[in-house]
Amino acid sequence: MADLVIAAGGFRLVRDDPEDERTFDAAAAYVPVLGDLVAISGNGEVDECDATDANSLVEPVGVVSAFQQIRTNAGAAGYRVSCARRALAEGFTGLTAGATLFTSTTAGAIESVDPTGAGVTGKVVGFAVNATQVEFILPTL
């Protein structure tokens, strides 16, 4: 496995289409991080995407581009997450230009090698533009 590395505090969108972005509530136990790859959980919230078939989070819907902490009706802390689906992002390190990128078996991560094996379904999420930038091409909802 070769999960991508994001420089500390370095993830940001260079270009995106605001009409192609969606906002979701985050699953109760999920604390979002910029650059996380997310999927929709069974109750319509987002959680970290994971290429392991044993869970329901194998289909990526976006990369976390912004989030805010909110209070739910019950007073508990939660998050609202903005997800970009087609965007150019930077802040990565050590990428090879042109490399196809995939979902990872590490929750929320992106990897540069298609994860294969029994019980794993890697999905293409984009490609490396250069050593620090990724073009995300996720399916529309």
Side-chain angles (χ1 to χ4, degrees):
M1 175 177 5
D3 289 340
L4 302 191
V5 175
I6 299 174
F11 180 89
R12 76 176 189 91
L13 295 183
V14 175
R15 172 189 39 75
D16 74 323
D17 180 354
E19 290 185 19
D20 205 29
E21 226 175 84
R22 297 290 181 266
T23 301
F24 300 94
D25 288 332
Y30 173 47
V31 177
V33 174
L34 293 177
D36 274 357
L37 197 59
V38 293
I40 297 178
S41 68
N43 58 4
E45 299 170 329
V46 291
D47 205 343
E48 295 169 298
C49 187
D50 185 337
T52 306
D53 293 338
N55 67 58
S56 62
L57 301 168
V58 297
E59 200 64 51
V61 296
V63 61
V64 174
S65 58
F67 59 89
Q68 70 180 75
Q69 189 169 17
I70 59 172
R71 296 281 174 194
T72 65
N73 290 337
Y79 291 90
R80 181 136 309 131
V81 178
S82 293
C83 300
R85 293 175 294 153
R86 301 196 187 290
L88 176 65
E90 68 181 6
F92 300 90
T93 61
L95 302 178
T96 301
T100 303
L101 304 173
F102 304 89
T103 54
S104 173
T105 55
T106 302
I110 303 161
E111 69 175 82
S112 58
V113 176
D114 188 1
T116 58
V120 175
T121 303
K123 305 278 184 171
V124 174
V125 298
F127 62 92
V129 174
N130 56 41
T132 63
Q133 294 182 325
V134 170
E135 184 75 36
F136 287 100
I137 48 171
L138 294 157
T140 56
L141 296 174

